[in-house]
Amino acid sequence: MRKARRFLDQQGLDYRFHDFRADGLEPSRVDDWLRQLDPVALINRRSTSWRQLPEAQRADLGPDAVKALVLDNPTLIKRPVLEIDGRIEVGFSPERYQELLAS
C-alpha cells in the first residue's frame, strides 16, 4: 500500500486514503466492487486472515460469500483498492496505475 501511495504522491495527485479498519466498510461499496471484479480477485489469499479461516469458508468464493467475509473481516481484502473514474483496481502495479491515469 505504501508503494501505491508513494506513486500517487510522485504523480502529484490528490487522493483520499480510506483505512478499512478505522473508517469501516460500507456494504454498498463492496457491492460496487463485486459488480466489476471476480470475487476471488478481491481476496488476499496470502494473508494470515485467510489462512485462519475454516476450510468451508475458504471453499465458497461466490459473490455473496465474499461480501460477507470482507465485511466481517476487512483484512481479507487485497490492497490497495483504487477507485478511479468508476473503475476498480485491486493490488498495485506502477504500469497499470499509469494506464489508468492516462485514460
Side-chain angles (χ1 to χ4, degrees), residues 81-95:
V81 177
L82 177 67
E83 296 178 351
I84 184 168
D85 297 330
R87 293 176 291 173
I88 308 300
E89 185 74 19
V90 178
F92 175 68
S93 160
E95 297 80 15

Side-chain angles (χ1 to χ4, degrees), residues 1 9 25 35 39-40 57 64 66-67 70 72 93-94 99 102:
M1 203 160 27
D9 288 339
L25 185 58
R35 274 192 282 283
V40 175
Q57 284 184 302
D64 293 336
V66 167
K67 179 181 178 182
V70 300
D72 287 344
S93 160
E99 290 174 21

Side-chain angles (χ1 to χ4, degrees), residues 45 49-61 65 69:
R45 293 187 292 168
S49 299
W50 173 257
R51 290 190 302 266
Q52 292 175 346
L53 289 175
E55 182 59 38
Q57 284 184 302
R58 288 187 285 161
D60 183 3
L61 293 177
L69 281 173

Side-chain angles (χ1 to χ4, degrees), residues 11-59:
Q11 302 301 311
L13 299 170
D14 289 329
Y15 62 91
R16 187 172 89 63
F17 175 74
H18 182 95
D19 184 336
F20 301 137
R21 291 181 205 172
D23 302 330
L25 185 58
E26 294 294 322
S28 60
R29 177 168 271 167
V30 177
D31 288 334
D32 289 343
W33 293 347
L34 291 172
R35 274 192 282 283
Q36 293 186 48
L37 298 171
D38 177 342
V40 175
L42 191 57
I43 299 291
N44 179 359
R45 293 187 292 168
R46 294 183 189 174
S47 72
T48 302
S49 299
W50 173 257
R51 290 190 302 266
Q52 292 175 346
L53 289 175
E55 182 59 38
Q57 284 184 302
R58 288 187 285 161

Side-chain angles (χ1 to χ4, degrees), residues 71-83:
L71 288 173
D72 287 344
N73 192 350
T75 59
L76 288 170
I77 297 171
K78 185 175 184 178
R79 296 178 301 271
V81 177
L82 177 67
E83 296 178 351

